Amino acid sequence: MSTAESTLGHGTVSWRADPYTDALRTGRGPLFLRRHDGWMLPLEVERWCARADAADMAVLRRCERAVLDIGCGPGRLVAALAALGHRVLGIDVHPAAVARTIRSGGSAMCRSVFEGLPAEGRWETTLLLDGNIGIGGDPEALLRRVTEISAPGGLLLVEAASADVDERVQVRVDNGRGCLGAAFPWARAGVPAVERHGRAAGWTAVEEWSAQERRFVALRRTTD
């Protein structure tokens, strides 16, 4: 088993912890990723469980043809893309997230990006939004995997951290009221780090923009 697979397996168990399940069920926070030193990153549960907003739509209008949403969560982007006429599939390791996506009318499956996926090598657009560049705790390994599942010349749309950071950490899901999930690896990457890890994994940055205090990068697959 590769490092990416083993870390993803750890993360899969952790994301099924009760704090996240409860938040998805109610559609409300508070919910955080808690670092070992006590620092906490707020998770925007209410936004994730609402309809796609203006910043989301600015990303989705850039999508080309068939779209894979990696870490789709409760499915707002899958639903919005379907409404725009795209063939779209969401994947997520959390059964409650996949169930909520399907209830919203979207197509989704409970699967890790590091496992076998439908239409590998043919996805024309892939999404890593809502901090999902952190999946597995190793952005370069994640982006190499996305290279494998993307079509030649494919488009990758990434939401970067708002700060210029490049860190790999252990975190736990925390509801702020004393309920914690198990520790798992995560990462944060600002725009320069996303572009640097992308180059190493066979991607070229072609655009970057900000919307509603969120930062995004579009990359084009450059490997054969």
Side-chain angles (χ1 to χ4, degrees), residues 121-146:
R122 300 197 299 275
W123 291 103
E124 291 149 315
T125 303
T126 47
L127 303 180
L128 286 170
L129 302 184
D130 300 329
N132 284 333
I133 188 65
I135 289 173
D138 186 340
E140 187 173 324
L142 174 61
L143 293 175
R144 289 188 186 279
R145 174 57 179 149
V146 177

Side-chain angles (χ1 to χ4, degrees), residues 86-119:
H86 287 275
R87 180 167 69 87
V88 55
L89 175 67
I91 60 170
D92 202 288
V93 299
H94 200 290
V98 171
R100 185 159 180 152
T101 299
I102 293 171
R103 284 198 302 272
S104 73
S107 177
M109 62 190 307
C110 195
R111 191 71 57 87
S112 160
V113 66
F114 292 100
E115 298 174 330
L117 295 172

Side-chain angles (χ1 to χ4, degrees), residues 28-59:
R28 299 193 304 273
L31 200 66
F32 308 88
L33 290 183
R34 182 185 183 95
R35 206 164 56 191
H36 65 87
D37 61 2
W39 179 87
M40 296 202 296
L41 175 69
L43 300 178
E44 298 180 80
V45 176
E46 289 86 352
R47 180 171 65 80
W48 297 348
C49 291
R51 293 185 178 183
D53 62 18
D56 295 327
M57 295 306 299
V59 178

Side-chain angles (χ1 to χ4, degrees), residues 68-212:
L68 180 68
D69 184 6
I70 299 169
C72 66
R76 77 187 190 285
L77 304 178
V78 174
L81 282 164
L84 290 172
H86 287 275
R87 180 167 69 87
V88 55
L89 175 67
I91 60 170
D92 202 288
V93 299
H94 200 290
V98 171
R100 185 159 180 152
T101 299
I102 293 171
R103 284 198 302 272
S104 73
S107 177
M109 62 190 307
C110 195
R111 191 71 57 87
S112 160
V113 66
F114 292 100
E115 298 174 330
L117 295 172
E120 289 213 13
R122 300 197 299 275
W123 291 103
E124 291 149 315
T125 303
T126 47
L127 303 180
L128 286 170
L129 302 184
D130 300 329
N132 284 333
I133 188 65
I135 289 173
D138 186 340
E140 187 173 324
L142 174 61
L143 293 175
R144 289 188 186 279
R145 174 57 179 149
V146 177
T147 302
E148 295 174 352
I149 62 181
S150 297
L155 180 67
L156 168 61
L157 301 173
V158 178
E159 182 169 353
S162 57
D164 184 5
V165 296
D166 187 7
E167 65 175 7
R168 302 177 186 188
V169 294
Q170 291 283 320
V171 295
R172 303 172 75 181
V173 178
D174 185 337
N175 69 358
R177 301 185 297 275
C179 186
L180 296 171
F184 62 98
W186 197 250
R188 292 199 306 147
V191 170
V194 169
E195 294 180 353
R196 183 171 61 255
H197 293 308
R199 284 193 299 271
W203 296 89
T204 297
V206 294
E207 184 184 8
E208 58 181 83
W209 72 98
S210 298
Q212 296 182 349

